[in-house]
Amino acid sequence: MLLMGKAAQWLLPQPFLLTAPASGAALQHQEKVAELVTVLIILLLVATGVALLSRRLRVPYVTGLVLAGLAITELLPRRIGLDSSLIFNLFMPVLLFEAAINTDISRLRSTIGPIGLLAGPGVVLASGVTAVLLKFGLGLAWIPALLVGVILAITDTVSVIAVFNEVPVPSRLSTIVEGESLFNDGAALVLFNLILQVQKTGSLTFLEGLQNLFVVIVGGTLVGLALGYLTTALFTQSDDPLSSILLTVAVSLGAFQIGQFLQVSGVVAVVVAGLIVGNIGLSGSVSASSRVTLLSFWEYAGFGVNTFIFLLIGLEIDLLTLWRTLPAVLLAVLAYQVGRILSVYPLLAVVRWFDRPVPLRWQHVLFLGNIKGSLSMALALSIPPSVAGRGELIALVFGTVLLSLIGQGVSLPWLVKQLQISHLSASDQQIEELQAQLMAAKAAQEELDSLLKAGVLPKSVYEEMRSSYQVRVARSEKALRDFYNRRPDQLMIGERTKLDAIRRRLLLAEKGAIVEAVRKRILSEEVARERLQAINEQLLALEDD
């Protein structure tokens, strides 16, 4: 009885709390929540309007978001802004995982040469050149100059890919841009932390820096591999799309946190985990419906996060401060452009020694496409107070990001059109439509086979539905065969490029088989070396796709 009486004292007052008058602190909290919801509603409506107007005015979506953020700053009921911890711990893992899960490793492997040069030595070179120019141009100390140099060496792929969605470019160029951004974020973050370590300890030898760099990158890779393959194993246990979504969200956020906890690169961990899940986990026993649901969720998540980030960039920038720092901002823009020139053109000229050369017109796009974005602003906000002139550095980076998003974001589509990089003719479009029909019909047939095997469909219904798809397959295959059976001199440029892309995939498959045979001691290295050299020569002879 005594225990029941004590329990009643704890339990009975609880319903009363629902009707009790709220305290002053509780009312203030409710008002803040209501204001935040109002702000979110306004931002969603603004983003919707920007999406409609940007498509009609042919303005990049992210540039429109930044301009809209500048315009509505005074209309919001409360001031909100970017938070570096929110970007690092929530927004950035989502964006990196969304990009990685949609990246084809086979295409990434075929462009690893230029990607590795731009995301590795390219980031170091661009950071150093930018830092030197800022050091002597603005009179900054070395540590602040190096920090800003690293911050401005990061490119925002979202802005560039948004342009590519409006103006089609060759798939290899798009893959180089996406791959560079996937890995240069990690390289820049590692350099940023090394510079902060020098600022904190006062010294760091070159050998120590290389050792830290190696440990951070390799450690992040191992964390990503472990989580990626663990997620792939869990996919095989359940084919529920909703639980798969929860699992991938946990992996994307968890990979970054585990990497940070182990003092390795969380960015590399997220990227590697996303690549494993997207290329191995989703290509295994996962059903087509689960795969579509999962990829659709991540597409929406990436779009939503980018929408809020670029709106918040516009809200965060103070135009009066920008006007006062405009000369320094213009010098910073010039500095990082010089750094980009010296990292793109010389490094990509080296590519021809060991890989297919990158055309000069593509290099122009890579140079002007180094648009700055949210990660640059997040790194600026994370500069510790102990760094001299922290406020001025943040204003400098914010102004540079704004000019980059508006200037380069608007001019990049015009440059791509002027360079005439895209060669999608009516014939190319017809081929792609036939390929789409063929791939869709084949995928449906594979799904029907799995449904029959699982006992979901009776065989009579299966045969009837499969025969209808077989008619579509035969029709598409005949049309494509007629296209590709023409004489080489009658093929359009785009058709030859597509055939070269198919031949390239076949040659890469041959190369992979020979490398695996050498690893298993089936072939001797001497015989394999000659065959691999012949395959490499054929790969170099193919046109760029």
Side-chain angles (χ1 to χ4, degrees):
M1 292 295 292
L2 181 60
L3 290 175
M4 291 178 63
K6 288 185 177 180
Q9 291 177 0
W10 284 103
L11 294 174
L12 289 176
Q14 300 306 312
F16 178 74
L17 292 177
L18 298 175
T19 57
S23 64
L27 285 174
Q28 289 180 357
H29 178 70
Q30 292 176 5
E31 290 176 358
K32 289 181 179 179
V33 172
E35 285 184 355
L36 180 60
V37 172
T38 303
V39 169
L40 291 177
I41 293 172
I42 293 173
L43 293 181
L44 288 172
L45 293 175
V46 169
T48 304
V50 169
L52 296 174
L53 284 175
S54 61
R55 180 170 297 183
R56 179 170 297 181
L57 299 176
R58 299 290 182 181
V59 176
Y61 177 60
V62 292
T63 304
L65 287 173
V66 174
L67 294 175
L70 288 171
I72 66 171
T73 302
E74 302 300 328
L75 302 179
L76 297 178
R78 60 177 293 187
R79 175 81 178 184
I80 62 173
L82 288 173
D83 182 84
S84 60
S85 62
L86 182 66
I87 291 178
F88 280 125
N89 294 288
L90 179 60
F91 287 170
M92 188 171 65
V94 169
L95 292 177
L96 290 172
F97 194 85
E98 189 269 336
I101 202 174
N102 287 289
T103 300
D104 182 8
I105 287 184
S106 63
R107 291 207 59 82
L108 201 64
R109 192 186 302 119
S110 67
T111 55
I112 196 64
I115 289 174
L117 286 175
L118 291 175
V123 170
V124 176
L125 184 59
S127 303
V129 171
T130 305
V132 170
L133 293 177
L134 292 177
K135 157 72 177 173
F136 295 103
L138 298 179
L140 298 177
W142 274 116
I143 293 296
L146 287 170
L147 288 174
V148 176
V150 171
I151 289 172
L152 296 183
I154 302 172
T155 58
D156 184 75
T157 305
V158 176
S159 306
V160 184
I161 297 302
V163 173
F164 290 173
N165 291 334
E166 297 177 10
V167 186
V169 298
S171 58
R172 185 181 177 223
L173 173 58
S174 180
T175 304
I176 292 174
V177 172
E178 293 176 5
E180 180 198 0
S181 177
L182 268 178
F183 295 105
N184 84 344
D185 291 351
L189 282 170
V190 170
L191 288 175
F192 188 82
N193 290 326
L194 287 177
I195 296 170
L196 289 181
Q197 184 177 345
V198 173
Q199 188 262 340
K200 186 177 180 180
T201 61
S203 64
L204 181 71
T205 65
F206 180 74
L207 186 59
E208 290 175 340
L210 285 180
Q211 183 178 357
N212 291 342
L213 189 66
F214 178 79
V215 170
V216 165
I217 293 178
V218 172
T221 302
L222 293 177
V223 170
L225 287 172
L227 290 177
Y229 280 109
L230 177 62
T231 306
T232 300
L234 293 175
F235 273 157
T236 61
Q237 303 298 321
S238 173
D239 195 25
D240 178 31
L242 298 181
S243 61
S244 298
I245 289 173
L246 294 178
L247 176 62
T248 52
V249 171
V251 169
S252 65
L253 301 179
F256 186 81
Q257 295 301 324
I258 293 173
Q260 295 296 98
F261 176 76
L262 297 176
Q263 296 185 349
V264 298
S265 177
V267 172
V268 174
V270 174
V271 170
V272 173
L275 290 173
I276 296 298
V277 171
N279 290 269
I280 298 177
L282 294 184
S283 62
S285 58
V286 179
S287 65
S289 59
S290 296
R291 191 180 302 116
V292 170
T293 302
L294 188 64
L295 293 177
S296 298
F297 165 79
W298 278 104
E299 181 182 7
Y300 172 76
F303 178 79
V305 166
N306 277 309
T307 296
F308 280 107
I309 284 179
F310 285 100
L311 273 175
L312 292 177
I313 287 176
L315 294 173
E316 187 73 24
I317 293 174
D318 185 355
L319 291 178
L320 292 178
T321 304
L322 174 63
W323 179 254
R324 288 196 297 268
T325 59
L326 186 59
V329 168
L330 292 175
L331 179 61
V333 172
L334 176 63
Y336 82 70
Q337 294 288 36
V338 172
R340 184 68 174 177
I341 288 175
L342 296 179
S343 63
V344 168
Y345 294 101
L347 290 178
L348 292 184
V350 178
V351 170
R352 67 179 67 250
W353 296 349
F354 57 87
D355 199 351
R356 287 178 293 153
V358 178
L360 186 60
R361 290 182 297 173
W362 293 14
Q363 297 180 35
H364 299 333
V365 175
L366 290 168
F367 158 63
L368 191 63
N370 64 329
I371 304 174
K372 310 307 165 190
S374 56
L375 185 55
S376 295
M377 298 185 71
L379 282 179
L381 291 172
S382 66
I383 295 176
S386 57
V387 175
R390 176 179 181 271
E392 290 76 8
L393 297 180
I394 294 176
L396 178 66
V397 172
F398 279 23
T400 305
V401 170
L402 178 63
L403 291 188
S404 174
L405 284 169
I406 296 176
Q408 292 174 256
V410 173
S411 61
L412 187 57
W414 175 84
L415 175 69
V416 173
K417 291 179 181 177
Q418 294 300 313
L419 292 174
Q420 298 180 349
I421 292 175
S422 176
H423 41 66
L424 189 63
S425 63
S427 177
D428 296 333
Q429 189 171 356
Q430 187 176 359
I431 290 178
E432 289 193 1
E433 289 174 357
L434 290 171
Q435 287 177 326
Q437 294 174 17
L438 182 60
M439 288 187 290
K442 290 275 190 180
Q445 285 183 328
E446 291 179 4
E447 188 70 10
L448 277 172
D449 292 340
S450 65
L451 292 175
L452 176 67
K453 186 177 180 181
V456 177
L457 284 179
K459 192 167 185 180
S460 59
V461 176
Y462 161 80
E463 290 176 349
E464 180 182 352
M465 298 181 72
R466 200 177 197 286
S467 62
S468 64
Y469 278 111
Q470 188 59 38
V471 172
R472 291 165 55 180
V473 169
R475 188 184 303 122
S476 301
E477 286 181 339
K478 181 180 182 302
L480 283 171
R481 186 170 60 250
D482 293 340
F483 266 110
Y484 290 137
N485 280 344
R486 287 182 289 175
R487 297 198 314 272
D489 58 341
Q490 292 178 330
L491 292 175
M492 301 292 289
I493 295 176
E495 297 167 20
R496 288 199 299 270
T497 304
K498 288 185 180 298
L499 280 176
D500 284 347
I502 295 171
R503 293 188 184 102
R504 183 173 298 111
R505 293 191 64 168
L506 297 176
L507 289 170
L508 288 173
E510 291 183 29
K511 188 174 181 179
I514 293 176
V515 171
E516 183 67 13
V518 172
R519 189 178 70 84
K520 294 181 178 180
R521 301 294 189 269
I522 298 174
L523 294 177
S524 64
E525 291 191 8
E526 183 178 358
V527 173
R529 191 183 304 114
E530 295 179 0
R531 182 58 190 157
L532 288 174
Q533 183 177 356
I535 292 176
N536 288 333
E537 291 175 355
Q538 293 179 66
L539 283 170
L540 290 172
L542 295 177
E543 294 182 6
D544 288 308
D545 50 334

